[in-house]
Amino acid sequence: TTSPRKALNFLLRWRPKNIAAQVALNLSTNLIISGENDLVKQCLDEIDGSPWNIFLLVPLALAGDDVDLSQIETSLVRMLRRGLISPELLRDVRSDKNVSADYLDVIVTACEIIISRGGDTERIIPILSQIAGQDVRRSDKLYDSQISLLDITLRAIALLERLAGHKISSETYFVKPPELPSDMLAQDVKRRKRQNSERKEEIKKFITPFLDIYDIRAQILLGLIPSNKIKTQIDDALKSLKDNNYQLSRTPYGNAMRKQVALSVSKLIGETSIDSSIIFSCISKLVEEKIAPLNSSIIEIYKSLALDVSLHLKILSEITARANTVVAIKSSAEEKIEALIDYARMLLLISPKDAESLFSEAIMIAGDVNYEAIHELSLFGPLARRAVESMEAEQRREISRNILIIASDAAVRLEGYDHFPWDKTAQALATLDICMALAAVARWEDTGIITQSTLLAPVLATAISSQEMRPNQAFAFSSLLDWFSEEQIVQIIENAREQRANTNFKDLTEDIAKEEL
């Protein structure tokens, strides 16, 4: 509805600038994936000479377009002079998912494009050196949670090392911490050195399995590997990574690093020396079974790959397979709907008809979420109390099993709903079959549906009032609860008075006294 010039003027007024840059990057990427390359080039002509043009030039280059390398070089040099390139932005792990990560990723990708397409490498080396600054690579300051920082600095160092004729290693990556103050106590010096050594060893174990992949990336960008040997070398690096699966699984950030490395590999799609299908295969192996279908973060990788039109059918096939798994998987409706909508948004850029189909599937799942089940489950409690006396034990167990199945299914589909009738469900189960009720408490606790502290209390209260449990038996479960209320203690005592013949008052009194203490 407006001209590119007006849209860009509006965007360039945004503050801070890196937010405007991210919007420009997302918009240009979406337009290119949708086949609107000419519109992006028209916008590019409107901001000729601005350092922010790299957020349009980089996606165009990754899509295989011929771009003016001198424009990218000039923009990068200007940004360096203005102090706009600082990997310290990623020091805080909370920055991993904000605009700073995307901002710096575009800068290092721009450097890679210049090098791979025969640009002026001498102008790019200072920028790579800034990105891989010595202070950000100090072994005493790095954590395995700083995924974006590790990735960007590893990419820069791998290129710098290969430009110098070397291969990246953990020793060339890490920078030694400065000497400790001379006035520090000897015991403090010893403790600090031990901590620094442990930190370095921890990060070394974390990044070492990925170093071969970063080195191969650098060699591909520099044209050091013959085209017919690229696939073999990538497969060897992936095999080495697979051999370290156990080690990576022991850190909570292993899969996140895998995804980040896959995203970095996807930035090779603009390279003519490597077949796009090899890149796609490499990424599939990197994240194979590591990113669950409900986790739509993989869309970030697919979106990067989708800049290559030749990969659209493969991406469509992968997303469709993941979406089918989401539909079939047993999970909350909210999670399913969110994942399907995310997949539909991605497909909208390459196949609107398939995106519409996924969106329709999400609507159908939303229609299956039946909140009336909550009111129906609430009725089981009073109905069970009225019917239990006229039912045989086998019949009571069968019905309680059916209630357990119904409640499990409804709880999964309505996950996140605050008013699920757990107490009424517990009362119904305990009334019909106390053994089934206790089994349900344990099962739901193990599967993460509901904690036993929420469910066990109403089960015990119902069992005591219906005399399905003797007071001593009921109180034996008190140790499983974080809090055993006064009302429950009073209920047990009153019930004990009614069941004098079946109650050992001395033992019960001792148990209650211990609980109170």
Side-chain angles (χ1 to χ4, degrees), residues 396-417:
R396 289 165 59 179
R397 173 152 297 186
E398 182 180 355
I399 292 175
S400 63
R401 181 179 62 83
N402 291 338
I403 292 175
L404 189 156
I405 294 170
I406 293 168
S408 296
D409 180 66
V412 170
R413 288 190 292 110
L414 301 175
E415 184 180 4
Y417 186 76

Side-chain angles (χ1 to χ4, degrees), residues 42 57 59 163 166 173 225 310 368 440 455 495 503 511:
Q42 188 179 346
L57 286 165
L163 284 169
H166 308 301
Y173 176 75
I225 306 177
S310 68
D368 288 340
L455 209 59
N495 190 260
T503 304
D511 290 339

Side-chain angles (χ1 to χ4, degrees), residues 152-185:
I152 285 173
T153 52
L154 282 166
R155 286 165 67 181
I157 285 293
L159 269 173
L160 289 170
E161 286 295 302
R162 276 297 172 181
L163 284 169
H166 308 301
K167 178 182 178 180
I168 185 175
S169 67
S170 58
E171 294 308 316
T172 56
Y173 176 75
F174 289 119
V175 174
K176 187 178 179 181
E179 293 295 327
L180 296 172
S182 57
D183 58 347
M184 184 178 286
L185 294 175

Side-chain angles (χ1 to χ4, degrees), residues 43 47 90 227 285 297 451 494 512:
C43 293
I47 57 170
L90 301 179
S227 299
K285 292 174 182 176
S297 66
T451 61
E494 290 178 349
I512 293 176

Side-chain angles (χ1 to χ4, degrees), residues 155 171 174-175 185 187 203 220 247 249 330 393 461 473 485:
R155 286 165 67 181
E171 294 308 316
F174 289 119
V175 174
L185 294 175
Q187 60 185 21
I203 299 298
I220 291 171
Q247 177 181 310
S249 67
K330 187 172 183 180
Q473 291 175 324
S485 67

Side-chain angles (χ1 to χ4, degrees), residues 347-360:
L347 287 187
L348 187 62
L349 301 173
I350 61 178
S351 178
K353 185 172 290 188
D354 288 291
E356 182 182 355
S357 176
L358 276 190
F359 188 72
S360 299

Side-chain angles (χ1 to χ4, degrees), residues 408-435:
S408 296
D409 180 66
V412 170
R413 288 190 292 110
L414 301 175
E415 184 180 4
Y417 186 76
D418 293 333
H419 305 291
F420 196 88
W422 285 115
D423 54 341
K424 299 289 196 305
T425 304
Q427 291 168 9
L429 290 171
T431 300
L432 290 166
D433 191 322
I434 185 59
C435 295

